[in-house]
Amino acid sequence: MEGLDATKGFKAWSRLQNIVIGRFLTGQEGNRFLFQNDNKNIINKQAATVTRILGPKNLMDLPVEDHKRMRGAIMSFMKPEALQKVLTRMESVILQHFEECWEGKDSITVVPLMKKLTFHVACDLLFGLKDGNEREILSKDFSAIVKGVWSLPVNFPGTAFHGSLRARSRICRRLSSLLEVRRRELEQGKASPRQDLMSCLLSMSMNKEDENNSALTEEEIIDNMILVMIAGHDTTAILLTHLVRMLALKPHIYKSILQEQTEVLSGKQRNTPLRWEDIQKMKYTWKVAQETLRLNPPVVGGFRTATEDVDYGGYTIPKGWQLFWTTSITHWDGEAFKDPDKFDPAHFDNQLAPYTFIPFIAGPRVCPGYDFAKIETIIFVHYLVSKYKWSLVFPDEKMICDPMPAPSMGLPITLHAKGN
Ligand code: HEM
């Protein structure tokens, strides 16, 4: 039952809302309806204030054709073949994190460290930014942006929303000058078009022969780099946090992961980088992560808007109505998952029915960071279980939704390093 308390309150609340205002869509059929109609007669429309923070050209707000074009551009870096080329770099950022933040420590608090780790991975692989001070400044500005997204839209000095808009301006200026430098490096052959997301998008916009992508403007690149950073780092940090928690609570699962890791790497020289094929073989590790996502989905749901009257289940949903998809209720469906309350990675032994497991949603807006998050998670877990055992300082620590489900005290743990 450990995984459940994170979203139990949300589940009860959303059931109540469903009865009261009838806008929630859940379960396989609800999801199929919503995600198959996404970008057709149902669209993703952010509040105007959120668009001001994320920028008008961010993927979530683009009309269908522009959305397709921009997604294609982002996916050219996020697809497995491209990520394969940056695997070792991702691994070295993760290793450096363990050296700097875990080594020699008796205890740590997991949530802030996971946010720091995923922010550094993203800085390196999305922006090619390695300087520690610059990362620190950007990290503060990105935190301010996120606070604004979830605040009252009052643009007055001292409010979170105002702070968020100012942070956005600073980030835009910084990204614009990074783009300028990178453009020159690409022109001079000193940077490669596939080294990070920024180079990838920029080289597409510089390649005038490529009719599909030449229209990428600097504004589009900046707005989408901001979106990818926001969408990518806190979500993954929450997954890693819950994994650390679950592995402490379930020693037999920790043992099985360790066994898989040992088997996959048997015969391989110690301290050599992980290979792409090693990651692909760590299937049990990913099942544990999927089970963690099932019971503790970082994104508990999201809004869509009907652009015309749409029929569903014998009812007409009027044009302009907001619809809300939810991961939590879907993931506890006893027909899709036997003993849904139980944390059991075997839930993922067989192919699942479509639209029953949706932590990354589905359809044309399915998360483009799926493979990025998967690789990052597997590498992290590999070093975590190889180097450490740990225990929870507060095994019954409460969960809060802030807005993602997270331990209320940040998950302090006691570390026991293993000998080499
Ligand atoms: C465990 C980690 C992650 C989870 C659970 C997750 C979940 C999601 C979900 C549920 C959405 C759909 C939101 C909506 O349409 O309302 C989404 C969209 C998105 N995600 Fe992720 N995500 C994760 C990691 C990442 C990473 C690592 C990146 C990039 C580096 C990323 C980039 C994006 C982007 C750009 C979108 C918008 C896609 C669009 O509108 O077409 N995500 N993610």
Side-chain angles (χ1 to χ4, degrees):
M1 296 288 286
E2 299 85 348
L4 291 181
D5 43 5
T7 41
K8 197 154 55 183
F10 177 79
K11 186 179 172 187
W13 174 79
S14 51
R15 277 205 171 129
L16 179 69
Q17 294 282 311
N18 209 10
I19 295 162
V20 178
I21 50 178
R23 291 176 188 166
F24 278 76
L25 287 172
T26 64
Q28 186 181 22
E29 283 319 307
N31 295 331
R32 189 196 306 278
F33 166 76
L34 194 141
F35 297 129
Q36 283 189 350
N37 286 301
D38 216 355
N39 276 1
K40 292 179 188 158
N41 46 15
I42 291 174
I43 57 161
N44 193 3
K45 195 164 152 231
Q46 308 300 314
T49 45
V50 175
T51 306
R52 268 183 80 185
I53 296 174
L54 296 179
K57 299 291 177 191
N58 88 78
L59 197 57
M60 310 239 263
D61 278 300
L62 290 179
V64 174
E65 279 314 309
D66 285 339
H67 176 259
K68 244 191 227 162
R69 182 175 55 92
M70 196 64 224
R71 253 191 94 95
I74 292 174
M75 283 312 292
S76 65
F77 180 73
M78 294 290 178
K79 60 187 177 193
E81 307 86 82
L83 291 175
Q84 203 167 340
K85 301 206 169 70
V86 293
L87 173 71
T88 305
R89 239 174 61 218
M90 192 187 269
E91 183 181 9
S92 54
V93 180
I94 293 172
L95 267 173
Q96 193 181 349
H97 168 84
F98 275 113
E99 275 163 27
E100 286 174 7
C101 303
W102 294 57
E103 233 165 79
K105 303 263 174 21
D106 295 329
S107 60
I108 57 164
T109 301
V110 177
V111 173
L113 283 190
M114 293 303 95
K115 290 195 177 190
K116 187 172 179 170
L117 167 67
T118 54
F119 190 78
H120 283 196
V121 168
C123 272
D124 195 311
L125 295 177
L126 305 181
F127 304 162
L129 189 65
K130 296 186 189 298
D131 182 278
N133 287 336
E134 285 217 44
R135 283 182 182 178
E136 217 37 58
I137 295 168
L138 263 190
S139 162
K140 287 197 181 115
D141 279 338
F142 271 103
S143 300
I145 278 204
V146 173
K147 271 193 199 126
V149 169
W150 296 102
S151 70
L152 281 176
V154 181
N155 189 7
F156 197 74
T159 63
F161 184 64
H162 183 77
S164 174
L165 292 177
R166 287 175 63 102
R168 173 182 162 80
S169 303
R170 287 191 296 273
I171 292 173
C172 287
R173 279 199 298 277
R174 188 64 203 115
L175 289 183
S176 180
S177 61
L178 281 175
L179 278 172
E180 196 44 49
V181 174
R182 187 62 53 77
R183 188 177 283 117
R184 273 201 303 276
E185 288 174 347
L186 284 165
E187 278 163 359
Q188 295 164 0
K190 290 182 184 163
S192 104
R194 292 281 177 267
Q195 70 184 46
D196 48 46
L197 180 67
M198 178 184 278
S199 300
C200 211
L201 299 182
L202 202 48
S203 58
M204 284 175 174
S205 72
M206 289 159 68
N207 181 3
K208 299 293 176 217
E209 281 157 29
D210 186 340
E211 283 175 16
N212 291 327
N213 298 307
S214 58
L216 283 192
T217 61
E218 176 164 324
E219 189 188 13
E220 283 178 318
I221 296 179
I222 290 181
D223 285 359
N224 284 289
M225 303 239 335
I226 292 176
L227 171 71
V228 172
M229 175 56 106
I230 292 176
H233 89 278
D234 273 357
T235 42
T236 314
I238 291 299
L239 165 60
L240 300 184
T241 298
H242 284 290
L243 264 168
V244 171
R245 178 167 169 268
M246 293 317 296
L247 292 183
L249 292 168
K250 309 269 174 199
H252 65 287
I253 293 183
Y254 172 98
K255 231 170 117 190
S256 303
I257 288 193
L258 194 57
Q259 188 183 340
E260 172 178 85
Q261 305 277 336
T262 314
E263 277 166 20
V264 167
L265 299 179
S266 68
K268 187 170 171 270
Q269 257 193 331
R270 276 170 70 91
N271 300 328
T272 51
L274 290 169
R275 295 162 303 190
W276 184 253
E277 54 274 27
D278 297 332
I279 304 278
Q280 305 313 309
K281 285 183 197 155
M282 295 175 180
K283 291 191 188 310
Y284 179 77
T285 306
W286 184 238
K287 280 182 199 170
V288 175
Q290 285 178 301
E291 183 65 345
T292 306
L293 283 167
R294 184 177 75 81
L295 291 173
N296 303 280
V299 183
V300 289
F303 285 102
R304 293 291 190 269
T305 306
T307 56
E308 55 188 61
D309 289 357
V310 279
D311 293 329
Y312 173 66
Y315 295 93
T316 299
I317 300 171
K319 178 180 173 181
W321 269 46
Q322 299 265 305
L323 307 168
F324 194 80
W325 51 267
T326 78
T327 37
S328 331
I329 301 176
T330 298
H331 290 176
W332 287 328
D333 180 349
E335 280 182 27
F337 299 99
K338 190 168 170 272
D339 296 332
D341 288 1
K342 189 173 162 204
F343 185 96
D344 183 3
H347 282 133
F348 293 87
D349 280 351
N350 301 314
Q351 177 92 30
L352 294 170
Y355 305 106
T356 53
F357 177 61
I358 53 158
F360 299 94
I361 68 161
R365 290 184 178 272
V366 64
C367 174
Y370 172 86
D371 287 294
F372 191 101
K374 179 176 174 182
I375 297 164
E376 189 173 358
T377 302
I378 293 178
I379 301 176
F380 169 78
V381 173
H382 166 67
Y383 285 107
L384 178 73
V385 298
S386 320
K387 285 171 176 283
Y388 297 99
K389 285 191 158 189
W390 62 96
S391 45
L392 304 181
V393 174
F394 305 109
D396 294 325
E397 188 172 343
K398 288 263 172 303
M399 293 291 146
I400 48 168
C401 269
D402 183 28
M404 295 183 200
S408 58
M409 288 180 281
L411 199 69
I413 58 171
T414 309
L415 279 182
H416 320 280
K418 293 181 184 176
N420 281 322

